[in-house]
Amino acid sequence: MEDHSGHNVSWQIVVVCFATDANGLGKTLLALKERSLKQHVVVLASDTPVLRAQFEALGVTADFCLPDVLPSHGYWSTLFPLLPCSSDQDLLVVRAGVDLPDRWDARLMAVASAGDTLAAVSPLSSRNRLFSIFSDPSHCSTLSVEEIDQWLNHYSHNGIFDLPCINQSVARLSGGWWHTLTTEASDSAIYQALYATDCAVLGMDSLFVDDSDLAVHDYPDVYPQAVYDRLAQYHPLATIRHALTELSGRAEAPAKIIKCLPIQLHVAHSWGGGLGRWVEDYIAGDKHHHNRVLRPIGDWSAFGQTIALYETAEMSVPLKTWTLARPIVSIAQSHEEYRTILRELIEEYHVESLVISSLIGHSLDLLKTGLPTLYLFHDYFPFCPALYATYTTPCSHCDDQKMRECRGNNPLHEFFLHDNDEHWEAIRRRFLEWVVQPNIQMVAPSQSAVDRLAQLSDQFSGGAIAVIEHGLKSDMIEGLAPHKDSPSSSGQKLKIVMLGSVSVQKGEHLLAEIIAPLTKFADLILLGTGEGGKRFKGQSGVTVVEHYAWHELGELLREHQADMGLLLSTVPETFSYTLSELWAAKLPVMATRIGAFESRIHHGKNGWLVELTPDSILSQLRILNDDREVIAHVKTQLMSVEDTTVEDMADAYFAKAPELPEFSIKRYRLPRKVGATVQQEQPRALYINHQVSYRQVLVEFLEYSRAKLTGTPRIPRWLRGIIGRSVSLALRLIRR
């Protein structure tokens, strides 16, 4: 095997089974099968009828070369003449009866090397007095090997330390040294020979193997007792031993068992919306990686003022933040400080791959890490600084001259007002040059986005961009399940639902023009409009719900007995979550013929497409109102369609992503670390989720302030009353 750094890594697993170990053989072989990265195993066993019958029943081939019982001169001196030693691979020797945690072999091989002097590395266990994670090696734990190993990773610093022996339960033997030691008469002689040749015999503090079924193994007879007394007093495991003994004694299991998976870094912006939701959904569905999220924090003057790393998609408390001395106004072509930050977090957090969902507030240096990278076109930035690739109408080409005109005249070019034309021309050139590297796979969520990109630049043509549609969470799909099998009868008003914000891009002007004639034959339900829905409140035949939680959507649709959906976007969306949600609710949808709607909706089969004019929209709605059977037919078609889940989506991305090596040293150095310490440049009392609205932040801050101030006895009661009433009044005004 070869890791990211080009190191050749090879090992052979050897199981040692004396006659006295027969009862534990099955457990060890099962653990090897289920939890090893490498599956081929060599078995050395005692030649007894019981063991021969046991191996035959298990279908395992063994070399019956061991004595029945372990000789008094020692374990390793017995094994060395029999081991399949080789100078080009290490041996991982496992005693039968030992239980093993996930990916134990790769983790043992990932220990920082001591160079050419490395002779052996041993994990921690229960019964060996030098390597025990418990204060007393005879301690009996009720926790599983996975649970103890998880706790150990929580407390571990991924350290190695010198110890004067090798753990008989499990050990890694470096291939080059053992040929010279096969004639040593005892284990003590072996340890003395290793010491004399200055070989490194190490322990590691980040891997636990459960040898509790074996006998307690005492100190080797090599050094004076004073050495062992000193080692017991200042043992490198002292802190870990205390913690693990306490946890084990209480039978306290960790909250979560973390699998040994590669770390993937998501790069996104902090605006929330569809992209924020996609990152959350992807992480929820991904079973192939552990994910971290990198986001810029800023404002309209500079979108990348602070760079924050989060453990999940939720922007609550960051793992670490970096404040840039030179903020990134929109996007940087190159940024030395950002590049340093990127190198640091890739190394510190063992990042093996990237998923880039947005470059807003970031640097194009992200495209030059050399790591396997997925680049997602949630919008058309940075090729198009206006995001939507729309200037009056959707653009089919764009050169430098058109981009200059767009910057000065396009009302959709509203976010990045400070950088000049030369900046955007240079960004486009570099982006097109670097995004097509072999280590980067480009992905778009719909065929329409791929077609538009191919029109805009030849770099995106010829199958360079894969199509992977977004998925929905399974509990959301379940919550959207319809209770209504057929549309309203022709004698009733048609019930039409529109999902999402009401804005210029989502067709606010079109809606304003059609709403009066539409409500003569239909009731309109506007769900999740945000502030933009206020202008339609109180109009006859219109219901406005400004905000709802995602888990409330299914119940709202059922409550209002919607017959169909209506989507009026006037800019080309690359996907449309609202279309997926309406389809998951088995509601036929009519949408404007633009963007992803055009490639996802097939007119008359799973919905209807109309031109972006009030007359076209009203005409098609009147046809559907007059013939409800047309709606019923499409609804029947939708009932048979299986919705794409976030798990389906994540699996599709995994299949398209540039392949990772099977073994990576960084992946297995400390794979189960949890509860990472928050690292801030300066301690902060307040953390803000930058994806929520300022209004919500202000409301929550005022609520906290009211509770804090009115409940503080040091403030006079009369003053507390005044403060409480003032804050309550402010909250009422804000919530209107």
Side-chain angles (χ1 to χ4, degrees):
M1 296 183 186
E2 188 174 286
D3 73 353
H4 273 309
S5 305
H7 298 112
N8 288 315
V9 181
S10 179
W11 66 90
Q12 173 65 62
I13 299 172
V14 180
V15 174
V16 176
C17 185
F18 290 96
T20 52
D21 303 329
N23 290 338
L25 176 63
K27 173 174 65 178
T28 300
L29 292 178
L30 180 62
L32 287 168
K33 180 180 179 181
E34 293 182 346
R35 303 178 195 142
S36 302
L37 179 61
K38 203 167 184 178
Q39 292 297 311
H40 183 259
V41 174
V42 172
V43 181
L44 308 181
S46 301
D47 191 1
T48 68
V50 171
L51 278 178
R52 281 188 176 271
Q54 195 169 352
F55 280 112
E56 184 176 354
L58 292 169
V60 176
T61 302
D63 181 359
F64 297 99
C65 59
L66 296 179
D68 292 355
V69 296
L70 180 62
S72 59
H73 56 76
Y75 182 78
W76 296 110
S77 57
T78 300
L79 293 184
F80 282 160
L82 306 173
L83 291 172
C85 294
S86 170
S87 59
D88 61 357
Q89 70 175 359
D90 287 5
L91 296 181
L92 305 187
V93 183
V94 181
R95 181 82 176 265
V98 175
D99 203 0
L100 303 160
D102 189 36
R103 294 296 184 262
W104 69 278
D105 54 337
R107 294 162 61 189
L108 195 51
M109 291 300 299
V111 174
S113 174
D116 294 336
T117 65
L118 181 64
V121 180
S122 299
L124 305 185
S125 62
S126 297
R127 295 295 183 244
N128 190 298
R129 194 171 295 280
L130 279 173
F131 294 97
S132 179
I133 60 166
F134 301 124
S135 303
D136 179 359
S138 63
H139 171 81
C140 292
S141 176
T142 58
L143 298 179
S144 70
V145 64
E146 297 274 33
E147 290 170 333
I148 297 175
D149 184 66
Q150 180 66 73
W151 277 128
L152 177 64
N153 275 224
H154 181 77
Y155 287 96
S156 170
H157 297 292
N158 195 33
I160 55 175
F161 42 86
D162 292 291
L163 286 177
C165 74
I166 306 167
N167 196 337
Q168 294 183 10
S169 301
V170 175
R172 165 188 167 188
L173 308 180
S174 186
W177 288 92
W178 305 106
H179 298 284
T180 62
L181 300 173
T182 56
T183 59
E184 299 294 343
S186 67
D187 283 7
S188 295
I190 288 173
Y191 294 138
Q192 289 169 353
L194 290 171
Y195 180 73
T197 52
D198 195 29
C199 288
V201 179
L202 305 174
M204 59 181 293
D205 71 356
S206 56
L207 175 65
F208 170 76
V209 300
D210 187 359
D211 60 356
S212 55
D213 288 345
L214 304 181
V216 172
H217 186 70
D218 219 326
Y219 299 128
D221 184 19
V222 181
Y223 301 102
Q225 183 61 40
V227 172
Y228 298 116
D229 291 343
R230 181 78 176 177
L231 185 59
Q233 186 176 1
Y234 298 102
H235 200 286
L237 300 177
T239 303
I240 291 176
R241 281 176 168 172
H242 176 75
L244 269 293
T245 301
E246 287 290 313
L247 291 165
S248 174
R250 298 196 301 266
E252 183 176 336
K256 182 180 181 182
I257 300 294
I258 299 175
K259 292 185 177 180
C260 303
L261 299 173
I263 298 291
Q264 184 167 254
L265 180 67
H266 286 256
V267 181
H269 58 52
S270 303
W271 298 2
L275 185 148
R277 174 177 172 178
W278 182 88
V279 174
E280 179 183 341
D281 286 350
Y282 180 96
I283 292 174
D286 182 20
K287 59 179 180 290
H288 307 287
H289 310 88
H290 293 309
N291 294 278
R292 301 289 181 265
V293 183
L294 190 70
R295 286 190 165 105
I297 298 170
D299 53 35
W300 283 67
S301 66
F303 289 95
Q305 299 176 25
T306 296
I307 306 299
L309 179 69
Y310 296 91
E311 191 166 15
T312 67
E314 182 183 348
M315 290 184 64
S316 52
V317 180
L319 293 172
K320 194 167 185 177
T321 61
W322 301 264
T323 298
L324 300 177
R326 177 169 69 89
I328 296 173
V329 176
S330 55
I331 177 175
Q333 183 179 173
S334 180
H335 195 287
E336 180 59 36
E337 192 176 2
Y338 187 98
R339 198 158 48 241
T340 301
I341 292 166
L342 192 57
R343 285 196 297 265
E344 175 188 330
L345 73 89
I346 287 173
E347 180 62 30
E348 182 178 349
Y349 291 92
H350 311 315
V351 174
E352 292 189 55
S353 61
L354 301 180
V355 177
I356 302 176
S357 286
S358 176
L359 287 168
I360 295 171
H362 295 283
S363 169
L364 287 178
D365 292 309
L366 282 160
L367 300 177
K368 300 181 70 178
T369 65
L371 293 178
T373 300
L374 287 165
Y375 186 91
L376 278 61
F377 287 97
H378 292 283
D379 52 43
Y380 298 96
F381 185 91
F383 182 92
C384 172
L387 301 183
Y388 306 106
T390 299
Y391 179 17
T392 307
T393 59
C395 304
S396 58
H397 76 282
C398 185
D399 55 21
D400 288 350
Q401 180 59 37
K402 185 171 181 180
M403 186 162 60
R404 287 173 179 244
E405 294 173 4
C406 175
R407 179 171 173 267
N409 303 307
N410 188 354
L412 294 176
H413 201 316
E414 58 180 327
F415 298 106
F416 311 110
L417 307 177
H418 302 287
D419 288 316
N420 60 23
D421 294 325
E422 289 75 18
H423 168 81
W424 290 113
E425 291 164 11
I427 287 292
R428 177 180 286 184
R429 286 195 298 272
R430 290 293 182 232
F431 174 71
L432 289 175
E433 177 185 350
W434 294 340
V435 79
V436 293
Q437 296 176 93
N439 64 300
I440 299 176
Q441 171 64 60
M442 294 180 286
V443 180
S446 67
Q447 186 59 47
S448 69
V450 173
D451 295 342
R452 292 282 312 292
L453 287 161
Q455 289 177 333
L456 292 167
S457 172
D458 292 339
Q459 296 281 60
F460 302 132
S461 61
I465 304 175
V467 176
I468 301 176
E469 292 193 354
H470 298 343
L472 299 177
K473 291 180 179 177
S474 297
D475 49 358
M476 182 169 207
I477 293 173
E478 183 179 344
L480 288 170
H483 289 174
K484 180 178 170 183
D485 296 329
S486 58
S488 306
S489 64
S490 56
Q492 299 173 304
K493 291 184 78 173
L494 188 66
K495 293 183 181 296
I496 302 173
V497 63
M498 287 185 66
L499 293 187
S501 61
V502 174
S503 63
V504 173
Q505 294 88 344
K506 300 296 184 180
E508 180 181 1
H509 297 326
L510 284 173
L511 177 61
E513 289 192 58
I514 68 170
I515 199 163
L518 175 61
T519 51
K520 290 180 180 178
F521 63 87
D523 288 329
L524 187 62
I525 305 110
L526 306 179
L527 299 181
T529 65
E531 296 296 315
K534 290 186 183 297
R535 66 177 291 188
F536 300 107
K537 267 190 172 181
Q539 294 193 34
S540 177
V542 179
T543 300
V544 176
V545 177
E546 292 183 32
H547 305 283
Y548 63 83
W550 68 265
H551 61 270
E552 299 172 332
L553 178 56
E555 194 54 47
L556 283 169
L557 292 173
R558 291 187 288 271
E559 175 188 333
H560 291 286
Q561 294 289 292
D563 297 315
M564 61 174 290
L566 178 64
L567 298 173
L568 298 177
S569 293
T570 57
V571 297
E573 299 186 52
T574 57
F575 184 67
S576 178
Y577 267 118
T578 51
L579 176 58
S580 293
E581 290 168 351
L582 290 167
W583 276 352
K586 307 310 176 187
L587 289 176
V589 176
M590 193 183 93
T592 44
R593 191 184 298 274
I594 191 170
F597 297 149
E598 194 167 5
S599 62
R600 298 184 68 195
I601 297 176
H602 304 289
H603 188 79
K605 295 180 179 179
N606 62 352
W608 306 273
L609 293 169
V610 293
E611 302 306 320
L612 282 71
T613 65
D615 288 345
S616 178
I617 296 166
L618 283 170
S619 175
Q620 182 64 57
L621 286 173
R622 287 192 176 103
I623 291 171
L624 297 174
N625 178 58
D626 293 340
D627 189 355
R628 305 291 174 91
E629 288 302 314
V630 175
I631 301 176
H633 172 72
V634 173
K635 187 178 183 73
T636 301
Q637 298 298 110
L638 292 174
M639 294 295 286
S640 63
V641 175
E642 189 171 338
D643 299 295
T644 301
T645 67
V646 293
E647 290 80 12
D648 297 331
M649 176 185 71
D651 287 346
Y653 273 100
F654 180 70
K656 284 292 183 183
E659 190 173 356
L660 293 174
E662 186 177 14
F663 175 82
S664 169
I665 286 177
K666 63 171 64 177
R667 186 182 312 161
Y668 294 110
R669 281 189 174 158
L670 199 57
R672 293 183 163 185
K673 188 71 173 177
V674 295
T677 303
V678 175
Q679 301 177 56
Q680 295 291 328
E681 294 153 323
Q682 293 182 348
R684 296 180 60 184
L686 180 66
Y687 294 96
I688 297 172
N689 185 338
H690 293 268
Q691 290 185 320
V692 303
S693 66
Y694 176 75
R695 182 170 177 260
Q696 183 179 339
V697 172
L698 183 58
V699 166
E700 292 183 8
F701 175 74
L702 288 173
E703 287 175 339
Y704 168 79
S705 300
R706 179 173 60 184
K708 182 73 174 175
L709 293 170
T710 58
T712 302
R714 286 175 295 179
I715 298 176
R717 182 175 296 178
W718 63 269
L719 183 55
R720 276 184 275 161
I722 294 174
I723 293 172
R725 288 190 294 273
S726 300
V727 174
S728 296
L729 176 60
L731 284 168
R732 284 197 298 274
L733 292 172
I734 293 170
R735 285 170 169 155
R736 281 184 178 176

